[in-house]
């Protein structure tokens, strides 16, 4: 989920995705057991693996988004029957007493493995079901450990889905030289009619020479490490951590404005599995 600079965010409405790196190819799972996994089989979120991100609640989040990200609030994040549920709600009265409240009308949750688990290369699979209501914006994405001003450190978007395009999946990469803010973004889209009615396996195959994203064993985006520019073109050679979140509203998910009557909505994640890169 892109983090554009404040000065350019308003000008990027409905342009956060690209569609020029389409591919259709088999995307088989690696052999052997995952090196890291969360099956969400406990009663509460495993805090040895995940942290809540509430860092911009007071000043507001990017891309014109309208949500407050709550921490340790069961209404917004819970485990039920082996599934992680991130739920967006229209409940501003319940938020007003919070010290970091930024006058948001909607609540949701965002969790990351930052500082707890990060990876360089490998194969990733996230089984999930997305909501399709206008204004919802679930995402599975990765950012680099360390301090990098966006987009110099890079960004890997495994799955983005916006309610303004309910039957379309988006996958994107962002770097200093290739990103939507300067209209050079690299990515692809795929239509998936059952994205909101069924669980699907969203997959990333990250290698030194290419990054491939697919769903249910079939790749639909591949970006090769074949452009000049060094780190500005390809910063994907260092540890990245994973992020799961459900944003609400914003320039891309609800360009015509948000209708609070569509809430609550759920982003459901069955598991996250990571295989190490082959030696």
């Amino acid at each position: 989920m892109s983090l554009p600079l404040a000065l350019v965010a308003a000008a990027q409405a409905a342009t956060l995705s690209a569609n020029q790196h389409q591919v259709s190819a088999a995307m088989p799972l690696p052999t052997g057991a995952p090196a890291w996994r969360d099956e969400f089989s406990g009663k509460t979120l495993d805090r040895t693996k995940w942290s809540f991100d509430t860092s911009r609640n007071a000043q507001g989040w990017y891309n014109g988004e309208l949500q407050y990200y709550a921490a340790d609030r069961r209404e917004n994040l819970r485990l039920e029957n082996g599934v992680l549920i991130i739920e967006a709600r229209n409940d501003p009265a319940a938020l007003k007493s919070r010290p970091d409240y930024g006058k948001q009308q909607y609540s949701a949750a965002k969790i990351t493995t930052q500082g707890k688990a990060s990876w360089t290369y490998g194969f990733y699979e996230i089984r999930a079901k997305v909501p399709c209501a206008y204004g919802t914006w679930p995402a599975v994405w990765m950012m680099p450990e360390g301090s990098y001003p966006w987009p110099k450190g890079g960004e890997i978007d495994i799955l983005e889905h916006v309610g303004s395009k309910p039957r379309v999946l988006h996958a994107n990469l962002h770097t200093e030289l290739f990103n939507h803010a300067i209209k050079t973004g690299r990515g692809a889209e795929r239509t998936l009619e059952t994205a909101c009615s069924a669980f699907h396996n969203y997959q990333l195959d990250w290698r030194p020479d290419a990054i491939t994203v697919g769903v249910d064993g079939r790749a639909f985006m591949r970006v090769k490490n074949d452009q000049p520019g060094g780190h500005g073109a390809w910063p994907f050679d260092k540890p990245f951590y994973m992020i799961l979140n459900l944003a609400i509203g914003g320039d891309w998910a609800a360009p015509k404005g948000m209708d609070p009557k569509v809430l609550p909505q759920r982003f459901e994640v069955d598991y996250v599995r990571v295989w190490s890169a082959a030696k």
Side-chain angles (χ1 to χ4, degrees), residues 34 36-42 44-46 49-50 77-86 111 125-130 139-140 159 195 198-202 216 242 244 266-275:
W36 188 96
R37 67 199 304 169
D38 196 340
E39 305 291 325
F40 302 113
S41 56
T44 59
L45 185 70
D46 187 343
K49 296 179 177 179
W50 302 95
L77 187 143
R78 59 192 177 273
L79 272 57
E80 292 183 356
N81 301 316
V83 174
L84 170 71
I85 296 173
I86 300 178
I111 58 174
E125 182 172 83
I126 302 91
R127 182 167 176 81
K129 182 170 69 171
V130 301
V140 179
L159 164 67
F199 281 88
H200 292 275
N201 297 339
Y202 298 98
D216 296 334
M242 187 173 292
L244 308 176
R266 295 179 174 186
F267 179 29
E268 301 180 56
V269 183
D270 187 14
Y271 61 72
V272 177
R273 298 172 182 170
V274 180
W275 287 262

Side-chain angles (χ1 to χ4, degrees), residues 27-28 31 170 219 252 276:
M27 203 169 180
T31 57
H170 306 269
W252 191 21
S276 299

